[in-house]
Amino acid sequence: MIKRKIIVGNWKMNPRTVKEAGKLFGEVAKGVSRVKKTDIVICAPFIFLEELAEIRTSKVKLGAQDAFPGDTGAFTGEVSADMLYELGVRYVILGHSERRAFGESNNDVNKKIKSALAYGLWPILCVGESDRDHNHGYFSLVKMQLEKCLAGISKNSVGKIIIAYEPVWAISTTPDRRDATADDSREMTIFIRKILSDKFGKNAGSMRILYGGSVNEKDASEFLENGGVDGLLAGKSSLNAKKFLEIINTAEHIF
Ligand code: PEP
């Protein structure tokens, strides 16, 4: 099955002002007018989404970095998938390692995925180990994350779920980080595809898998060509329009 490639930017808690956010988003939107084969998503902080929804184009979709699992109501400080959809947001990163570090469990992520799907958002589910041990225990950890986060999801909705494999040890802000290789990515994505196909049968074939962890404009082609993935999730590199556009153009021209 031919799947569209997808490049996702995770701005995390950046930039500082709405003006800077608008400028960065505008530069990316302007630079992708010729892109046809690649889906582009920018996941921005909640407070910028309304402004960015005004300047988004059909080519650059808006994403959030979390969504509360439930309807509007008495949940101080939370933002629901329903509210995000109404604003024009179409994707949401869920289960990012930086949120798991605050105590978010696989069970929480599972509820958020179900709610996101119910309100029409495409969940980008992040999985990945904090470190690699010699006994290869990281495979069991990723398996458990997938099984728990995707528990009870119907086969018919899986085409809208995107999996992002993000080894935490390779993320740009991890202390003493190490580079992951395309081989590391390919080995894990083969494993992830096997789990997904055991769980969802042929429907799993439509699910896209991304690699994330310090991807930049120089190694994007290596991950896209040899990492077994359908796209990339970029954090730090997505905060620089020129670098992010180079990653998008690499994806557009690679296959
Ligand atoms: C991330 O944390 O989602 C990420 C991809 O970050 P970076 O590219 O900065 O490692």
Side-chain angles (χ1 to χ4, degrees), residues 10 12 96-98 166 170-173 212-215 233-237:
N10 175 12
K12 310 192 180 189
H96 191 279
S97 56
E98 287 156 16
E166 295 210 300
I171 288 180
S172 64
T173 46
S214 301
V215 166
L233 175 53
K236 196 172 174 191
S237 309

Side-chain angles (χ1 to χ4, degrees), residues 11-22 44-54 62 87:
W11 283 3
K12 310 192 180 189
M13 200 170 73
N14 295 293
R16 251 193 79 241
T17 65
V18 68
K19 196 166 165 210
E20 288 170 80
F46 288 138
I47 56 156
F48 301 146
L49 293 172
E50 188 171 7
E51 170 80 10
L52 301 184
E54 295 289 314
L62 258 190
L87 209 58

